[in-house]
Amino acid sequence: MGVRLMVVDDHRLLAEALASALKLRGHRVLAAAAPAAGAAELVIARAPEVCLLGTAQPAQPGAFDPVARIKRERPQVAVLVLGPVPSPRGIAAAFAAGASGYVRHDERIEGVERAIMKARAGEAAVAPALLQDAFGELLHPAAQPDDEGQRLLEMLTPREIEVLVRVADGEDTRLIAAGMGIAASTARTHVQRVLMKLGVGSRLEAAALAARTGLLDRAGPVREQRPRDLDS
């Protein structure tokens, strides 16, 4: 016996093609509609047994809000998310919203149909390979790139950040001291601490490192707030 379905996706051609393929396999497809933003209203109004809900960005905040609304107002409807290869968080977010499963956009029609039948039966419908990839990423997460600029910035106090900004602007010890309202000896001490924390041997190296790592961009608010009456 065929399943009463709805197919909703932002890509109308994909939705219509999938709906046609499912009709040929004996299922009753109620609608193939786009965009997905209006999916919840359509599904709530038509109350199918299973809804295939497309999403292009499963990691985007709010991507599964329609799922949550459907399950809140039509809990008997099984929702299968149709999307790209998701991250483990994407799969978790889909199930947390109440989805019955996750199907890749490029899944063969046989795989889609198996997921539909599982969802209607109240079973979780996720391809084993997709789960394997997700668990693999959870167990062996990809290394995140080292944000050297942020790391260096966190090593400095607010006053040392201002000193670094002034050093990068080419100010000597006298100008730094006058601009910050401190003694020249104190300014010199601040400069030495900045050089030591950054692991460099000269003001020129400190300025180059700050520019290369984007540290100066992150220190922008300090640069904008400091007095500019001593630029000459």
Side-chain angles (χ1 to χ4, degrees):
M1 181 178 177
V3 180
R4 293 174 60 250
L5 297 168
M6 287 189 70
V7 180
V8 185
D9 197 284
D10 282 332
H11 299 283
R12 181 173 293 277
L13 291 178
L14 174 62
E16 291 178 349
L18 183 55
S20 296
L22 290 169
K23 285 179 180 178
L24 290 174
R25 300 180 77 87
H27 300 288
R28 291 168 290 164
V29 184
L30 301 181
E41 289 80 3
L42 287 170
V43 176
I44 291 167
R46 304 296 294 274
E49 293 178 274
V50 180
C51 170
L52 282 165
L53 177 64
T55 179
Q57 298 178 308
Q60 184 176 354
F64 302 115
D65 286 352
V67 178
R69 183 180 170 194
I70 292 167
K71 296 304 293 184
R72 184 170 60 250
E73 300 194 30
R74 294 286 189 181
Q76 74 276 17
V77 176
V79 182
L80 281 174
V81 174
L82 183 68
V85 178
S87 66
R89 289 185 180 181
I91 292 179
F95 277 96
S100 297
Y102 194 105
V103 181
R104 285 175 48 168
H105 270 139
D106 59 355
E107 179 64 69
R108 295 173 62 88
I109 190 63
E110 293 84 3
V112 175
E113 189 172 36
R114 282 195 297 271
I116 290 170
M117 302 309 291
K118 283 187 175 183
R120 187 175 68 168
E123 301 175 22
V126 183
L130 201 58
L131 280 180
Q132 184 176 2
D133 291 343
F135 281 123
E137 187 176 334
L138 287 172
L139 293 172
H140 306 287
Q144 296 297 317
D146 180 29
D147 189 342
E148 187 178 4
Q150 182 62 35
R151 180 175 58 82
L152 294 174
L153 193 64
E154 291 172 354
M155 294 170 56
L156 304 176
T157 66
R159 175 147 287 196
E160 289 167 348
I161 292 172
E162 183 178 355
V163 168
L164 177 59
V165 170
R166 290 177 179 275
V167 166
D169 279 351
E171 294 185 6
D172 59 19
T173 301
R174 178 183 62 82
L175 285 175
I176 292 173
M180 297 180 65
I182 58 179
S185 59
T186 303
R188 191 174 298 107
T189 298
H190 282 315
V191 171
Q192 291 303 314
R193 285 178 178 171
V194 169
L195 298 183
M196 180 183 66
K197 287 185 177 182
L198 296 182
V200 296
S202 69
R203 297 181 183 212
L204 183 61
E205 288 181 78
L209 177 63
R212 177 176 61 80
T213 61
L215 195 156
L216 290 178
D217 294 333
R218 298 176 185 272
V222 176
R223 180 191 294 264
E224 294 169 3
Q225 293 169 10
R226 73 180 181 83
R228 303 300 298 177
D229 56 339
L230 294 169
D231 287 347
S232 59

